């Protein structure tokens, strides 16, 4: 019997993860999370792998790359999804090397330009689908799509 | 009678945000027994504690959600996770964006998202602005909002699902 495929979600704790939860809310497959903190009690994820956090350390990114190989062997995801932050970079590279489908949604907080991680993913063509949550940002880049924001910033009945 | 709760959150990132902490501790309500405070201080150097309430470095998201439900006023950095929760629970909020020049973040992206907050019940304290005085009567008058509004954008979620599984 074949193993049920999962989607690997890579997102830093906090806002990146919030957006990932919203954006994958209609995915029926199992979701496995890779995160820099394990303080989440969320039944959306079948498993959580905790990796080291970094913004700029090549050493930590290299460690996470090796850890990522182990995670991919264990999980064998059918696709990968990320909303950033920088911890997604080794996984974006692994997705490219293993030809695993990779969908990247740049963070909502980047209103006027892509995030630094987003710029690297766009520059090296690491994502099969690249989305920005702001139309003026998406139009600056060939191949970057805009389909709205992960959640509604409107008033929701506020008086 | 249950005292109104003022919730302060500085998010999960590793940068200190002492400026926000200095704002709140200068308010008379900080040393008052008329309201409860809960301060999630992250990487802040916490020196003084409020007269009434608790301080925690970091708490799980589920605990933060429970506190947001209870809060009469939320004072927050301008992080997306916090923004999402206060929108879901329609809270009265004072946002203070982190800025790079004070060592509060690696860049000024919180100013970018702050510029997009147009909600009438959310104040944004931009650099150079004065932090508002907290009004106890206004805080006490806040109607409890404990049921979340679903603010997920399902049109985008449908597209993401298609891109991941088609």
């Amino acid at each position: 019997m074949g193993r049920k495929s999962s989607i690997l979600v890579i997102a830093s704790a906090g806002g990146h993860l919030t957006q990932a939860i919203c954006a994958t809310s209609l995915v029926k497959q199992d979701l496995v999370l890779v995160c820099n903190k394990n303080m989440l009690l969320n039944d959306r994820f079948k498993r959580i792998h905790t990796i080291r956090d970094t913004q700029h350390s090549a050493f930590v990114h290299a460690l996470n790359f090796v850890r990522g190989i182990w995670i991919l062997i264990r999980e064998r995801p059918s696709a990968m999804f990320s909303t950033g932050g920088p911890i997604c970079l080794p996984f974006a590279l692994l997705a490219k090397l293993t030809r695993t489908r990779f969908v990247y949604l740049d963070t909502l907080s980047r209103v006027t330009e892509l995030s630094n991680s987003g710029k690297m993913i766009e520059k090296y063509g690491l994502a099969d689908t690249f989305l920005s949550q702001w139309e003026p940002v998406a139009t600056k880049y060939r191949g970057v799509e805009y389909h709205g924001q992960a959640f509604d910033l409107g008033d929701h009945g506020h008086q | 009678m249950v005292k109104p709760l003022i919730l302060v959150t500085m998010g999960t990132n590793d940068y200190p945000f002492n400026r926000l902490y200095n704002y709140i501790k200068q308010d008379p309500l900080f040393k008052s027994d008329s309201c409860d405070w809960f301060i999630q201080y992250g990487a802040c150097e916490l020196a003084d504690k409020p007269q009434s309430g608790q301080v925690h470095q970091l708490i799980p998201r589920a605990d933060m959600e429970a506190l947001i439900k209870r809060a009469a006023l939320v004072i927050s950095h301008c992080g997306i996770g916090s923004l999402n929760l206060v929108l879901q629970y329609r809270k009265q909020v004072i946002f203070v964006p982190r800025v790079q020049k004070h060592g509060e973040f690696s860049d000024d992206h919180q100013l970018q998202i702050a510029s997009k907050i147009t909600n009438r019940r959310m104040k944004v304290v931009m650099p150079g602005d004065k932090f508002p005085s907290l009004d106890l009567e206004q805080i006490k008058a806040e109607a409890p909002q404990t049921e979340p509004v679903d603010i997920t954008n399902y049109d985008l979620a449908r597209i993401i699902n298609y891109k991941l599984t088609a």
Side-chain angles (χ1 to χ4, degrees), chain A residues 7 13-15 18-19 22-23 25-29 37 39 53 55 79-81 101 103 105 108-113 129 131 134 145 147-156 158-159, chain B residues 12 14-15 58-62 80-81 83-84 86-87 90-91 105-107 109 112-113 115-116 118-122 149 151-154 156-166:
Chain A
I7 306 286
T18 299
Q19 295 169 77
C22 289
S25 56
L26 294 180
V27 175
K28 300 281 192 296
Q29 285 171 262
K37 291 187 172 80
M39 51 187 293
D53 192 19
Q55 279 199 310
M80 294 160 74
F81 174 71
R101 187 184 306 183
V103 176
L105 177 67
L108 181 61
S109 62
R110 301 297 176 149
V111 177
T112 58
E113 57 180 354
T129 300
L131 302 102
W134 297 97
E145 302 176 25
H147 297 288
Q149 293 150 353
F151 59 86
D152 186 358
L153 290 169
D155 267 7
H156 313 293
H158 279 215
Q159 299 301 308
Chain B
T12 57
D14 296 329
Y15 289 84
L58 214 54
I59 57 170
R61 183 181 163 90
I80 296 293
L83 178 60
N84 175 275
V86 296
L87 282 168
R90 295 159 285 170
K91 290 294 170 176
F105 214 80
S106 56
D107 57 35
H109 79 267
Q112 292 180 28
I113 192 68
S115 70
K116 295 292 177 185
T118 56
N119 196 299
R120 284 160 289 172
R121 281 162 43 82
M122 298 181 178
V149 176
I151 58 172
T152 303
N153 178 357
Y154 289 105
L156 177 64
R158 202 166 290 117
I159 289 165
I160 299 280
N161 181 48
Y162 176 78
K163 301 276 188 187
L164 286 168
T165 58

Side-chain angles (χ1 to χ4, degrees), chain A residues 62-82:
Chain A
L63 281 180
N64 285 343
F65 182 85
V66 174
R67 183 83 196 288
I69 294 171
W70 180 86
I71 292 170
L72 287 193
I73 290 170
R74 175 165 181 194
E75 303 294 347
R76 285 184 279 162
S78 60
M80 294 160 74
F81 174 71
S82 182

Side-chain angles (χ1 to χ4, degrees), chain A residues 53-66 89-90:
Chain A
D53 192 19
T54 186
Q55 279 199 310
H56 304 299
S57 167
F59 177 70
V60 175
H61 279 312
L63 281 180
N64 285 343
F65 182 85
V66 174
L89 291 172

